[in-house]
Amino acid sequence: YSYSFGGESELISDAFKDLALALLLAIVLVYMILAAQFESLVQPLSIMLTVPLALSGGALGLYLTGTILSVPAIIGFIILVGIVVNNGIVLVDYINTRRKEGEERTEAIKNAGPIRLRPIMMTAFTTVLALVPLSLGIGEGAELEQPLAVVVIGGLLLSTVLTLVFIPIMYTIFDDIAGFFRRKPLKGAEAEWRAKQAKKKI
């Protein structure tokens, strides 16, 4: 006699092997796109570190709603990788824009947060509200895809709240690391701005 696990357990076991590779590939591709956009290998790291926050939010959503981990839920985690970085892109890009205009890093971060808060919240909540009917299982066959919606909603809510605090901190840390290795004098508008501030203090 012998026995084996079948049904949903078997599907999840097989899906984990393929979807784990798909998740890793999604992270790598997103990082490559960000590196090309920001023309930096360091800045995208501050954005990519929001992915673990989103995955934690998705897992928390499953736990709070009592939803079972399934293949659609795993697909939801993969979808989160591409969605949650949007808020980080909006914030970091605007910080870089303000720094190019001459603002100091700390000042640029303080000003960028409140200004970009509304677009970030609107983007997140429109996606969440669109997925609410699916997360409630409304409609014929919707209960099959319900875990996917729960994961995405949980991941988006947690990552959106923490991104506004987490990204500025990580941006500062990685910028300090890059500056330590670069050791080049500042150029352009930011250098002129800092020179003016130094003269004012004198």
Side-chain angles (χ1 to χ4, degrees), residues 36-98:
Q37 178 183 352
F38 289 105
E39 297 180 354
S40 170
L41 296 176
V42 178
Q43 284 191 358
L45 292 176
S46 60
I47 299 175
M48 291 303 299
L49 287 177
T50 60
V51 172
L53 300 178
L55 299 183
S56 300
L60 183 62
L62 291 176
Y63 175 76
L64 293 178
T65 58
T67 306
I68 300 174
L69 180 66
S70 59
V71 174
I74 300 172
I75 296 174
F77 283 114
I78 297 176
I79 293 173
L80 273 177
V81 174
I83 294 179
V84 296
V85 297
N86 293 338
N87 295 336
I89 292 172
V90 171
L91 185 58
V92 171
D93 183 63
Y94 192 61
I95 292 173
N96 290 338
T97 300
R98 296 190 73 95

Side-chain angles (χ1 to χ4, degrees), residues 108-180:
I109 292 174
K110 289 181 179 180
N111 293 330
I115 294 175
R116 282 293 178 254
L117 175 62
R118 187 175 180 181
I120 289 174
M121 298 299 289
M122 288 175 61
T123 302
F125 282 115
T126 51
T127 305
V128 168
L129 292 175
L131 289 172
V132 166
L134 185 60
S135 68
L136 297 176
I138 299 175
E140 186 176 354
E143 64 276 1
L144 297 176
E145 304 301 329
Q146 185 178 7
L148 185 151
V150 171
V151 167
V152 175
I153 289 175
L156 265 179
L157 290 177
L158 183 63
S159 65
T160 299
V161 174
L162 296 182
T163 290
L164 299 172
V165 178
F166 186 75
I167 284 187
I169 294 174
M170 298 312 301
Y171 179 91
T172 303
I173 293 174
F174 284 118
D175 191 61
D176 286 338
I177 294 173
F180 176 79

